[in-house]
Amino acid sequence: MIEEELTLEKANCVSESSPKRRRQGRTSVTANCELFGQTKAGAEPDESSCIGEEKSVPDLAIEVVLTSGNISSTQRLPGIEPIVIPGLANIPILGAILFQQDVFVYLLITLVIFSIYFLFHTSFGLILRAVGEYPQAAATAGVSVSKVRYWAVVLSGCLASLGGAYLTLVQIKFFTEGMSAGKGFIAIAALIFGRWHPLGTTLACFLFGATEALQLRIQAFSANIPYQFLAMLPYLVALFALLGLGGKSMPPHGLGVPYSPENRQDN
């Protein structure tokens, strides 16, 4: 069904080439880019430059084409088993939490520590933050803003892919289209709730993850609550967390602003 809808959508986009259709398409894409507040480095909003959404239509189409007939939704994957650290794994409570996890958890801890050090204690981190806050000043200092932004987007895509790998190989151990079910938007909410800091974002992810685990436990107890309401719980917590935060979480000033040497940011 998904494949048929994507095929029809692609056919409509290709066949419909009137100026009115193109203007509507550009308006829609621009609105989406402004909504999520991000564009690729040095590009005006268009179909190929809008980022920040969890998955675009071309991404989903490529995913369907590459996996169609190769991976079945009922086919289980080998998965990645937890790594048990001898001795430490026997510590009460903490042993099971910290020392009986898969390689992705240990990699997460390493990446959080490295990210804090990289961003706030190295010259490269200072350059990256300067490009995000005030790219014109960074360019005045001789920094290639476009190059830094492109490498940042590439690196962020690589890190985001680890989340999909964990979902597929550890948590569920099978693949199907749309299996992330909006978790990318919760990740954006965690970034905002964590005030754009690696440690704060990690703690926000733990909060939202605990909420999702809670709704699964409640369903397992056969509580007389419609499962649709329980499935909404992580998203409601993310929404209320952002509402309670108000305007205290300020994004980088250069976020979502296409850079050109002529641009001037007075604010």
Side-chain angles (χ1 to χ4, degrees):
M1 183 65 181
I2 297 177
E3 297 177 4
E4 295 176 356
E5 292 177 356
L6 290 173
T7 303
L8 291 175
E9 179 66 19
K10 183 177 180 181
N12 290 334
C13 291
V14 172
S15 61
E16 187 67 57
S17 58
S18 65
K20 181 179 179 181
R21 173 73 176 184
R22 291 177 180 175
R23 287 195 300 269
Q24 291 175 348
R26 282 194 293 267
T27 302
S28 175
V29 171
T30 303
N32 286 334
C33 290
E34 292 175 351
L35 174 63
F36 291 99
Q38 292 182 329
T39 57
K40 283 185 180 177
E44 295 297 331
D46 57 26
E47 288 85 346
S48 62
S49 65
C50 184
I51 63 173
E53 296 179 79
E54 181 187 21
K55 188 177 295 182
S56 64
V57 173
D59 294 336
L60 184 58
I62 293 173
E63 175 186 298
V64 171
V65 170
L66 292 179
T67 59
S68 178
N70 298 323
I71 300 179
S72 172
S73 60
T74 59
Q75 177 183 351
R76 293 193 62 83
L77 300 175
I80 297 177
E81 298 300 327
I83 300 175
V84 179
I85 300 178
L88 297 177
N90 298 326
I91 299 176
I93 301 177
L94 292 179
I97 297 175
L98 298 177
F99 306 111
Q100 297 184 26
Q101 299 294 336
D102 55 88
V103 65
F104 286 101
V105 175
Y106 300 123
L107 181 60
L108 166 66
I109 298 173
T110 305
L111 285 175
V112 171
I113 298 174
F114 175 77
S115 298
I116 295 174
Y117 176 78
F118 175 80
L119 288 173
F120 302 103
H121 299 281
T122 67
S123 58
F124 294 105
L126 178 61
I127 291 173
L128 182 61
R129 288 186 292 124
V131 168
E133 286 290 345
Y134 198 75
Q136 192 68 36
T140 303
V143 176
S144 176
V145 175
S146 297
K147 184 181 294 185
V148 172
R149 283 190 169 188
Y150 276 119
W151 278 111
V153 170
V154 170
L155 181 60
S156 65
C158 295
L159 294 176
S161 68
L162 295 177
Y166 179 87
L167 187 65
T168 305
L169 298 176
V170 178
Q171 185 174 2
I172 302 180
K173 296 184 179 179
F174 72 86
F175 174 83
T176 185
E177 293 90 0
M179 63 186 300
S180 58
K183 290 181 175 61
F185 296 109
I186 293 184
I188 297 176
L191 178 63
I192 299 173
F193 187 62
R195 301 192 178 185
W196 309 86
H197 191 280
L199 182 59
T201 302
T202 303
L203 296 177
C205 288
F206 281 141
L207 172 63
F208 298 150
T211 306
E212 183 168 354
L214 176 63
Q215 62 97 2
L216 293 175
R217 297 299 186 276
I218 295 176
Q219 292 186 45
F221 290 150
S222 300
N224 191 19
I225 302 175
Y227 76 92
Q228 292 89 346
F229 289 100
L230 296 176
M232 290 167 53
L233 189 59
Y235 305 93
L236 290 177
V237 171
L239 179 61
F240 287 128
L242 294 179
L243 291 176
L245 193 62
K248 299 178 182 179
S249 179
M250 298 299 296
H253 290 85
L255 181 66
V257 180
Y259 171 76
S260 66
E262 293 79 15
N263 279 353
R264 294 288 180 181
Q265 295 181 355
D266 297 329
N267 57 348

